[in-house]
Amino acid sequence: MSYELNQTAGTMAPVCLFLFVALLVGRLPLAGTEEERVTPSSPSSSTTTDGFLSSNYSQLTLKVDFSSKVVEHEYIVAFNGYFTAKARSHFISSALRNTEGENWRIVQRENPASDYPSDFEVVQIRQDARSSLLTLQDHPYIKRVTPQRKVFRTLKLLSAGSDGSSSCNDTRWVQKWQSWQSSRPLRRTSLSLSSGFWHATGRHSSRRLLRAIPRHVAQILQADVLWQMGHTGSGVKVAVFDTGLSEKHPHFKNVKERTNWTNEKTLDDGLGHGTFVAGVIASMRECQGFAPDSELHIFRVFTNNQVSYTSWFLDAFNYAILKKIDVLNLSIGGPDFMDHPFVDKVWELTANRVIMVSAIGNDGPLYGTLNNPADQMDVIGVGGIDFEDNIARFSSRGMTTWELPGGYGRVKPDIVTYGSGVRGSGMKEGCRSLSGTSVASPVVAGAVTLLASTVLNRELVNPASMKQALIASARRLPGVNMFEQGHGKLDLLRAYQILNSYRPQASLSPSYIDLTECPYMWPYCSQPIYYGGMPTIVNVTILNGMGVTGRIVDKPIWQPYLPQNGDHIDVAVSYSPVLWPWAGYLAVSISVAKKAASWEGIAQGHVMLTVASPAENDSAVGGEMTSTVKLPVKVKIVPTPPRSKRVLWDQYHNLRYPPGYFPRDNLRMKNDPLDWNGDHIHTNFRDMYQHLRSMGYFVEVLGSPITCFDASQYGTLLMVDSEEEYFPEEITKLRRDIDNGLSLIIFSDWYNTSVMRKVKFYDENTRQWWMPDTGGANIPALNDLISVWGMAFSDGLYEGDFTMADHDMYYASGCSIARFPEDGVVIAQTLKDQGLEVLKQDTAVVDNVPVLGLYQTPSEGGGRIALYGDSNCIDDSHRQKDCFWLLDALLQYTSYGVTPPSLLHSQNKVTPPTGTDKPLPERLEGNHLYRYSKVLEAHLGDPKPRPLPACPHLSWAKPQPLNETAPSNLWKHQKLLSVDMDKVVLPNVRAYRPQVRPLSPGESGAWDIPGGIMPGRYNQEVGQTIPMFAFLGAMVVLSFFVVQLTKSRSKPKRRKPRIKRPLYLQQQQQQTPHTGKNPTV
């Protein structure tokens, strides 16, 4: 029995040792593992998003609606410089000296910036606003007067996958029509709260192969490698402009300052998003941030009621400049790139070396939806991807649209990173998961903060050099174009290598032009170039890491490679006269030389330019730093296609918001009333463009008046959703062109002056209710254009479902054809009178509404004309059902004269309307289209056309041929000068995160939880070796005692020898009676 017990004890000893070791190891973080725990924050008295997400959060999505309006009688008066409060008051008083004192006052702003000079003031004016504003603007020290703006947010919870909207095609759907307050933010709003994608991701959304990867984004991007090198963000000041942060949040140890810029008397976060953003950047435990030792500066610019003012941001920006902030995360944005006070202040911030990181918006997957200020050249614009490296559906796409009137947009976003299901700090404690580009933005802001702390010479770190390092090191995602991913996915370690061997220089974004590389170079790669085509324009950003200001020396040089047929192309360049702040543009126009009209092949060359900047540390007067960069160019040339295959898209006559109020084409989309996507074939008409290319058509863009193209080269001119007026010379030329064989297709939209008055809008610049300057399209202008053929559109407004040629169609706020030649073909449908619904909230069904017309002009060799009353079926913005089949049929008719039998013999064919019983639509009286038009100008009476502008003529660069071979592969990582990726060696580390250490005095708690604080203040080697030796020592001692215990129990007991007693004692014992125990020896 004793042997069996000893054997059991002997076998239990290693088991106990194993269990003890497993227990200790279980308390330590393992590389590649992660405890998926979400701890919702404590409920608060205020309405918080944490509270929303604490119950069954994985199945809910937080959707936010916005409204925006100006503050009555309040204006922002911007000055030409920074002045004290006394000086600002004196300037305003002198400007309004003829205004009674009780009719105006300066609004006091009690915030941390009040004690410093400022460049603006908020003034309340109660007298006649217009005269007072004009008086203020005339003062020499006052730069601009704009209204004070206020933004509201409304939070709604939706089931996962719901967008909260009813189908526009549902006949039971009823809408109350009313004047539109800005339900889509006219100005800047919080992207973090403006998206339906701010939600905690569900765990069981679909069946898929699970990947055992940690969800702490800092470790996924290998920030722990830099932590173990001793870099944790120390010495870098990072500002978070959001909803605030509670004072004793356990995740943060270095909150340097919390400031409140709102009218609420609190610094705490009542919504939870500001805490989340700050946690992604600088949390020290649980859901770890990138830079825990960075100096956090919290700017509370939104109230718990989700309200903010422009003046709050301007004051906070000024204070950030005063505090010499290094990195600023901005999770706000809007479509208005002409909001001058805000944009000017963003430029001023970056000019003061503040690295601004901003989200590009949550309006994807539609193209042309970039938000401002992320679309600016000096700001790092961030898009979102998921953990499978797929572009997030919500992430906005490029191109930038504010340059479209001048040619073409730029590549944005700059970079993408994880923005879907990212974990961050809860409002009070714990972690939660959110999605959106506002999540991706602090990921990059945290990475930038960490990277800045690794550079010994901080003078090298500026907005340009940091962007250069990020885009040069980014990992390109396969199968994704540049308007979705920018330069690729954030690569933290490669950016560290580049930044730590960086030398001030200039670089280009993109760094090369390859019109043969698909899909990355879409849309450039989607269509080859040919002789006689419109020049291809590539808008390149020049980044100047040498200084905040710079210039291009002499002129850029075009050098074609003769062995690679570079002399077959012509190149023209235009560029920024001054590079400020930190950046400029280089517009490259590419065309085919006449000698290559019938040639097919690849042509290559490069553009070379030199950038100069003042040398900041050069003692010599006028010293400059220079940097020379090359822009490789590679194009595919094909013979000029036949006229019938060439389609010309009229971009010149499309207008957009801003600057004016141009409404959406579909009036059902009341939550998105602004037409702000550019109406370009590469933005909201992208799918149509792709379809036409797949059908073999070559699509070119007309960015100048109709008088500026050779109509003999094109089969069809395509006009879609035109809002602009037409020069008389354009009308005359188009009539002549169509008589000579050019065909015309027009997709129109609604125009009704009564409806336009009904959907009036509060103009935040003039502080007046005003009507749209046009409807969905400018019908009166289009009628002037086509009146010579006896055609006209009506002011009717219709919608409804129908079938045409066996295709299901949806008519979304379209107009009808009022007049058409009697020998034309007209198709009619039964539709609902949407105009009646808008004006009188009544419903009516109208039979035989003419929607489609086809006409062959009578002149010999004349072209053909096709009219359709609605463009929504080819517009990506709010398309319900596409009508690309109809566009194919119309192009068959206009290009080849083939009338589709399904339309020619349709049962819905009707007699063409004469339109004599109703007057044609008139222009809205008192409209302000002339303010934004390229055609009209102000006049004492009605606006009159301007003089016809001269057609643009490019100045082609004189080639300097090179008789050498061009590089075969243009896509290689954008190596900056003097950067050798092999010179900077990273340490060989294994652990995903540093070991746990005791907290410093003043930090909450005696010890951190597992997987907690990152190293910062202690020597890195000591921090790693002490826990290792302590663990090994404990194991040795424990093993010694276990072995001793095992030995003592496993050996059999030895019997001690019995000593024989003397004979006389034995005899005595036998004689004595036994009375007790024998004595032991």
Side-chain angles (χ1 to χ4, degrees):
M1 181 69 176
S2 62
Y3 173 77
E4 291 177 358
L5 289 176
N6 291 337
Q7 187 183 34
T8 303
T11 57
M12 286 181 64
V15 173
C16 294
L17 177 61
F18 173 78
L19 291 176
F20 183 76
V21 172
L23 180 63
L24 287 178
V25 174
R27 299 290 293 176
L28 296 174
L30 293 177
T33 64
E34 175 84 21
E35 183 182 0
E36 291 289 343
R37 180 179 69 247
V38 177
T39 307
S41 60
S42 304
S44 169
S45 58
S46 61
T47 302
T48 69
T49 53
D50 275 340
F52 293 150
L53 298 172
S54 62
S55 175
N56 197 26
Y57 74 92
S58 63
Q59 299 180 14
L60 296 177
T61 296
L62 183 62
K63 183 177 179 62
V64 182
D65 292 334
F66 284 89
S67 62
S68 172
K69 69 176 184 180
V70 301
V71 180
E72 190 72 13
H73 304 303
E74 286 192 9
Y75 299 89
I76 297 175
V77 180
F79 298 94
N80 291 322
Y82 284 81
F83 302 98
T84 63
K86 183 177 179 180
R88 299 195 305 268
S89 176
H90 175 72
F91 295 153
I92 294 174
S93 299
S94 62
L96 298 176
R97 59 182 179 274
N98 295 326
T99 304
E100 296 182 10
E102 62 271 13
N103 288 327
W104 69 273
R105 71 179 184 90
I106 295 176
V107 178
Q108 298 301 317
R109 311 194 307 275
E110 298 181 1
N111 56 50
S114 302
D115 298 331
Y116 300 93
S118 178
D119 61 344
F120 79 97
E121 197 67 87
V122 179
V123 180
Q124 193 175 74
I125 302 176
R126 298 189 178 277
Q127 206 183 20
D128 178 33
R130 187 166 298 277
S131 61
S132 300
L133 294 181
L134 293 175
T135 303
L136 279 172
Q137 290 174 341
D138 288 339
H139 194 279
Y141 285 99
I142 293 178
K143 178 170 63 175
R144 189 181 294 112
V145 180
T146 55
Q148 169 81 304
R149 289 180 291 273
K150 185 177 184 179
V151 177
F152 299 93
R153 289 186 295 238
T154 304
L155 305 179
K156 294 188 297 184
L157 280 175
L158 304 174
S159 299
S162 172
D163 61 359
S165 61
S166 301
S167 171
C168 293
N169 302 339
D170 193 346
T171 56
R172 296 170 297 175
W173 192 88
V174 179
Q175 174 175 347
K176 182 178 179 182
W177 298 92
Q178 59 185 3
S179 302
W180 287 349
Q181 296 278 356
S182 176
S183 54
R184 178 174 188 86
L186 269 176
R187 304 301 178 190
R188 231 147 295 279
T189 52
S190 171
L191 286 177
S192 58
L193 302 175
S194 67
S195 159
F197 299 96
W198 180 22
H199 65 282
T201 56
R203 183 176 295 180
H204 305 292
S205 57
S206 61
R207 296 183 183 276
R208 57 189 175 86
L209 180 63
L210 299 179
R211 294 178 59 191
I213 60 174
R215 291 297 176 184
H216 287 329
V217 67
Q219 289 147 5
I220 296 174
L221 292 172
Q222 296 180 281
D224 52 314
V225 175
L226 300 184
W227 298 340
Q228 295 193 23
M229 296 172 65
H231 306 301
T232 56
S234 179
V236 180
K237 300 178 181 179
V238 56
V240 176
F241 278 59
D242 220 288
T243 56
L245 178 69
S246 60
E247 183 178 7
K248 296 183 179 179
H249 197 290
H251 287 186
F252 305 97
K253 65 176 180 178
N254 197 12
V255 179
K256 193 72 173 180
E257 185 179 25
R258 296 184 307 147
T259 52
N260 177 36
W261 305 90
T262 72
N263 53 14
E264 293 179 338
K265 303 301 181 183
T266 180
L267 292 165
D268 293 341
D269 185 2
L271 292 173
H273 192 269
T275 305
F276 181 91
V277 170
V280 172
I281 296 173
S283 172
M284 66 178 180
R285 58 166 63 86
E286 291 187 272
C287 32
Q288 296 169 343
F290 285 83
D293 285 325
S294 61
E295 289 186 12
L296 263 183
H297 294 254
I298 305 298
F299 290 73
R300 188 174 187 268
V301 291
F302 280 99
T303 68
N304 289 338
N305 293 326
Q306 306 162 60
V307 174
S308 184
Y309 291 83
T310 299
S311 61
W312 294 354
F313 276 101
L314 299 183
D315 269 331
F317 284 153
N318 284 340
Y319 192 70
I321 295 174
L322 289 169
K323 288 294 180 178
K324 299 186 182 300
I325 294 297
D326 299 309
V327 182
L328 191 152
N329 182 78
L330 201 61
S331 291
I332 65 170
D336 187 5
F337 50 78
M338 298 186 69
D339 186 2
H340 294 293
F342 192 95
V343 174
D344 288 352
K345 190 58 65 176
V346 168
W347 290 347
E348 185 179 348
L349 275 165
T350 55
N352 281 274
R353 307 183 72 90
V354 178
I355 302 173
M356 180 173 288
V357 183
S358 185
I360 63 168
N362 295 333
D363 296 295
L366 186 63
Y367 280 68
T369 52
L370 295 170
N371 280 225
N372 183 273
D375 63 350
Q376 296 299 302
M377 290 184 285
D378 53 318
V379 176
I380 299 174
V382 184
I385 59 175
D386 61 21
F387 286 104
E388 303 294 331
D389 288 352
N390 301 309
I391 299 295
R393 179 177 174 81
F394 54 74
S395 186
S396 290
R397 271 71 166 170
M399 58 183 159
T400 60
T401 56
W402 57 271
E403 300 98 338
L404 275 180
Y408 204 78
R410 284 177 296 102
V411 175
K412 280 278 181 168
D414 294 303
I415 198 168
V416 294
T417 192
Y418 301 118
S420 181
V422 173
R423 299 185 70 202
S425 300
M427 190 171 67
K428 299 296 182 183
E429 60 182 6
C431 302
R432 65 176 183 178
S433 298
L434 298 181
S435 298
T437 54
S438 66
V439 175
S441 178
V443 169
V444 172
V448 167
T449 304
L450 180 59
L451 288 171
S453 69
T454 67
V455 181
L456 296 178
N457 183 6
R458 295 287 174 87
E459 290 296 320
L460 293 177
V461 179
N462 58 56
S465 64
M466 184 59 72
K467 181 186 282 194
Q468 287 174 328
L470 291 178
I471 66 178
S473 62
R475 299 278 184 179
R476 184 177 296 182
L477 302 177
V480 181
N481 70 57
M482 60 185 179
F483 289 148
E484 291 183 317
Q485 67 169 314
H487 292 269
K489 171 187 170 184
L490 171 67
D491 189 324
L492 184 64
L493 297 187
R494 288 177 60 86
Y496 163 78
Q497 291 176 297
I498 289 178
L499 201 59
N500 278 270
S501 55
Y502 176 80
R503 189 175 66 192
Q505 61 195 271
S507 65
L508 303 174
S509 170
S511 59
Y512 67 96
I513 299 172
D514 188 351
L515 306 193
T516 69
E517 182 186 6
C518 270
Y520 180 73
M521 279 282 174
W522 186 94
Y524 298 111
C525 65
S526 62
Q527 180 170 293
I529 63 176
Y530 41 84
Y531 175 69
M534 293 289 174
T536 298
I537 303 174
V538 183
N539 203 342
V540 178
T541 299
I542 306 172
L543 296 173
N544 179 21
M546 298 179 291
V548 65
T549 184
R551 63 182 179 88
I552 294 180
V553 179
D554 297 327
K555 292 182 179 180
I557 300 172
W558 163 240
Q559 295 184 305
Y561 292 108
L562 294 181
Q564 277 71 42
N565 309 296
D567 55 336
H568 283 44
I569 54 177
D570 295 324
V571 169
V573 293
S574 60
Y575 50 89
S576 303
V578 177
L579 310 180
W580 185 91
W582 307 103
Y585 71 86
L586 176 72
V588 181
S589 299
I590 306 171
S591 189
V592 177
K594 185 176 182 179
K595 65 179 180 180
S598 302
W599 182 79
E600 182 173 359
I602 304 296
Q604 288 185 252
H606 69 245
V607 176
M608 186 167 63
L609 66 151
T610 300
V611 176
S613 281
E616 298 180 0
N617 300 323
D618 194 342
S619 58
V621 178
E624 283 189 328
M625 298 177 62
T626 60
S627 176
T628 300
V629 291
K630 292 181 180 180
L631 179 70
V633 177
K634 183 179 181 181
V635 300
K636 180 180 181 180
I637 300 174
V638 297
T640 303
R643 179 183 186 183
S644 59
K645 283 292 186 180
R646 296 178 63 179
V647 178
L648 187 63
W649 172 272
D650 179 19
Q651 183 70 33
Y652 185 78
H653 295 93
N654 286 332
L655 300 177
R656 53 152 293 173
Y657 172 87
Y661 170 27
F662 300 101
R664 276 288 190 208
D665 306 323
N666 186 350
L667 288 177
R668 286 293 183 200
M669 298 302 163
K670 186 171 177 289
N671 64 334
D672 192 7
L674 299 174
D675 191 354
W676 65 286
N677 303 125
D679 285 346
H680 193 278
I681 58 173
H682 298 154
T683 58
N684 52 309
F685 288 94
R686 174 180 181 269
D687 289 351
M688 180 210 71
Y689 167 75
Q690 293 283 75
H691 176 80
L692 291 180
R693 287 294 301 130
S694 68
M695 299 301 294
Y697 291 100
F698 293 82
V699 188
E700 301 173 38
V701 176
L702 176 65
S704 54
I706 293 175
T707 55
C708 296
F709 78 97
D710 181 4
S712 64
Q713 299 290 318
Y714 300 92
T716 302
L717 175 64
L718 184 57
M719 293 184 171
V720 180
D721 187 23
S722 302
E723 297 92 357
E724 181 63 278
E725 294 282 340
Y726 296 90
F727 291 103
E729 296 88 345
E730 289 184 294
I731 298 175
T732 302
K733 179 179 184 293
L734 183 62
R735 293 172 182 173
R736 186 172 62 250
D737 290 341
I738 291 180
D739 288 341
N740 293 328
L742 177 69
S743 293
L744 174 67
I745 296 177
I746 297 178
F747 281 80
S748 183
D749 263 299
W750 69 274
Y751 186 98
N752 185 289
T753 55
S754 299
V755 172
M756 290 161 67
R757 292 187 180 95
K758 188 69 175 179
V759 295
K760 60 184 179 180
F761 207 86
Y762 197 88
D763 177 15
E764 297 185 349
N765 291 317
T766 63
R767 296 185 64 254
Q768 296 177 355
W769 285 101
W770 50 285
M771 278 65 69
D773 293 311
T774 69
N778 192 341
I779 295 299
L782 286 173
N783 286 345
D784 290 344
L785 191 69
I786 59 178
S787 61
V788 68
W789 297 286
M791 302 178 183
F793 290 103
S794 77
D795 62 356
L797 205 165
Y798 304 95
E799 73 159 342
D801 295 285
F802 59 89
T803 301
M804 181 185 293
D806 297 327
H807 292 272
D808 291 334
M809 302 280 286
Y810 175 62
Y811 213 67
S813 303
C815 68
S816 64
I817 298 175
R819 295 178 184 175
F820 208 75
E822 60 181 9
D823 54 343
V825 176
V826 174
I827 307 296
Q829 298 293 338
T830 299
L831 299 170
K832 291 186 294 184
D833 188 341
Q834 192 177 24
L836 183 65
E837 181 183 353
V838 173
L839 298 174
K840 298 182 178 180
Q841 287 73 52
D842 197 0
T843 58
V845 176
V846 183
D847 295 326
N848 295 325
V849 178
V851 296
L852 175 64
L854 306 176
Y855 179 64
Q856 169 69 61
T857 59
S859 60
E860 183 178 355
R864 288 158 287 275
I865 302 175
L867 306 182
Y868 188 67
D870 181 32
S871 69
N872 283 279
C873 59
I874 58 174
D875 188 341
D876 301 345
S877 299
H878 299 297
R879 185 176 63 239
Q880 302 288 323
K881 300 172 183 177
D882 75 69
C883 62
F884 297 148
W885 72 269
L886 177 61
L887 181 59
D888 290 341
L890 297 184
L891 284 171
Q892 283 288 319
Y893 174 70
T894 58
S895 298
Y896 303 102
V898 178
T899 304
S902 58
L903 298 178
L904 185 62
H905 306 294
S906 172
Q907 296 179 353
N908 300 107
K909 183 179 177 182
V910 298
T911 303
T914 59
T916 57
D917 54 335
K918 289 184 179 180
L920 296 178
E922 296 290 338
R923 291 171 176 82
L924 180 66
E925 185 178 357
N927 75 79
H928 299 135
L929 182 62
Y930 64 89
R931 296 179 179 175
Y932 324 110
S933 171
K934 299 183 288 288
V935 177
L936 300 178
E937 65 179 354
H939 197 267
L940 292 177
D942 294 332
K944 302 296 181 181
R946 304 173 187 268
L948 180 70
C951 295
H953 291 285
L954 295 174
S955 179
W956 301 107
K958 184 178 180 180
Q960 297 182 10
L962 296 176
N963 194 16
E964 59 185 65
T965 304
S968 57
N969 182 14
L970 300 186
W971 181 50
K972 51 187 178 182
H973 282 288
Q974 185 180 5
K975 288 193 175 183
L976 300 175
L977 300 176
S978 78
V979 174
D980 188 348
M981 300 293 289
D982 299 326
K983 288 184 178 180
V984 183
V985 181
L986 296 173
N988 184 18
V989 294
R990 294 182 296 107
Y992 252 91
R993 66 178 68 139
Q995 301 294 329
V996 181
R997 67 164 173 80
L999 301 182
S1000 302
E1003 296 176 1
S1004 62
W1007 286 83
D1008 197 0
I1009 61 174
I1013 201 161
M1014 291 167 284
R1017 300 176 185 168
Y1018 296 117
N1019 180 274
Q1020 187 66 29
E1021 290 189 16
V1022 175
Q1024 293 175 351
T1025 54
I1026 287 180
M1028 182 185 303
F1029 282 120
F1031 176 78
L1032 293 177
M1035 289 297 98
V1036 171
V1037 173
L1038 179 64
S1039 301
F1040 174 81
F1041 282 108
V1042 169
V1043 169
Q1044 294 301 317
L1045 179 63
T1046 302
K1047 287 182 178 181
S1048 64
R1049 292 187 176 183
S1050 60
K1051 291 181 180 181
K1053 292 184 179 181
R1054 294 168 55 189
R1055 293 190 177 186
K1056 298 180 180 179
R1058 184 173 294 179
I1059 303 175
K1060 293 185 178 181
R1061 299 183 181 185
L1063 181 60
Y1064 74 92
L1065 289 177
Q1066 296 181 15
Q1067 294 175 351
Q1068 183 179 1
Q1069 183 177 3
Q1070 293 175 356
Q1071 297 175 359
T1072 305
H1074 183 73
T1075 58
K1077 296 182 179 180
N1078 294 330
T1080 59
V1081 177

